[in-house]
Amino acid sequence: MNASLINTEILPFKATAFHNGKFVPVTQDDLKGKWSVVFFYPADFTFVCPTELGDLADHYATFKSLGVEIYAVSTDTHFTHKAWHDTSETIGKIKYPMIGDPTGAITRNFGVMIEEAGLAERGTFVMDPAGKIQIIEINAGGIGRDATELLRKLQAAQYVASHPGEVCPAKWKEGEATLAPSLDLVGKI
């Protein structure tokens, strides 16, 4: 990525997802009006990817209780997502949409395409209800992500969005003290 995508609006796209046993259309408009997580991963039927997607599935009810929808995206087709869902116990737990991006358009929109491989990096993007990116995390291929850490960061983003003038310090968890940036705090932390 040449420029930060933080606070930019997601670019238009059209895709098909496998969701709740059906193929459904998904566009950038589906990600607006609520908090959304777009979770890119390299490929179906691989090694680290199912551990991450299964971890998200195990925490999906918590994400939903926070008004968040998760969208998993790889450069596989929606047909491949269905086949993986039907044959893997771990992937079979998934209740969130699995978007197929065989052209790589969405993956390129978010700047996580590995061009020489035609695969996505392990990129996580959190969008606010206006469709603006608030959190970006990109890991190397061999490093899996943790749904509980994503939940913590998402709760911090939601808190900051609903409490203007406050910020969340390192390791902040819901219910803990926040900071109100001011001249009085300079040099005192």
Side-chain angles (χ1 to χ4, degrees):
M1 283 186 276
N2 294 330
S4 175
L5 296 176
I6 292 291
N7 285 317
T8 64
E9 194 167 327
I10 56 174
L11 297 173
F13 70 86
K14 290 181 184 179
T16 302
F18 177 68
H19 187 218
N20 292 328
K22 297 178 182 171
F23 295 135
V24 296
V26 180
T27 71
Q28 73 284 350
D29 291 334
D30 292 304
L31 281 66
K32 295 179 181 177
K34 62 185 171 297
W35 286 85
S36 299
V37 173
V38 180
F39 195 86
F40 289 92
Y41 64 97
D44 293 359
F45 297 100
T46 55
F47 314 103
V48 176
C49 301
T51 66
E52 295 181 311
L53 296 175
D55 187 32
L56 283 173
D58 292 342
H59 292 87
Y60 186 56
T62 305
F63 281 98
K64 291 298 280 184
S65 73
L66 296 170
V68 179
E69 184 58 86
I70 296 170
Y71 298 88
V73 183
S74 77
T75 55
D76 298 291
T77 67
H78 54 287
F79 299 112
T80 307
H81 292 333
K82 181 191 181 313
W84 197 23
H85 191 275
D86 291 349
T87 58
S88 167
E89 185 178 322
T90 298
I91 302 306
K93 299 185 296 186
I94 293 175
K95 304 287 186 222
Y96 49 82
M98 298 177 73
I99 298 174
D101 185 27
T103 67
I106 304 166
T107 306
R108 284 184 188 91
N109 280 355
F110 283 85
V112 291
M113 176 62 90
I114 306 167
E115 290 296 341
E116 61 276 9
L119 302 173
E121 298 278 6
R122 289 190 196 291
T124 308
F125 297 81
V126 175
M127 272 77 60
D128 65 20
K132 291 190 177 184
I133 298 169
Q134 298 300 314
I135 297 171
I136 299 173
E137 177 185 13
I138 301 174
N139 291 10
I143 303 168
R145 294 159 284 181
D146 182 332
T148 57
E149 176 59 11
L150 177 58
L151 275 166
R152 186 197 70 77
K153 289 189 277 186
L154 183 115
Q155 287 173 317
Q158 288 181 328
Y159 186 91
V160 169
S162 64
H163 295 85
E166 293 184 49
V167 295
C168 296
K171 300 182 184 181
W172 179 88
K173 290 188 175 93
E174 190 173 24
E176 293 182 350
T178 59
L179 300 172
S182 71
L183 186 59
D184 295 338
L185 281 183
V186 175
K188 300 221 169 58
I189 296 176

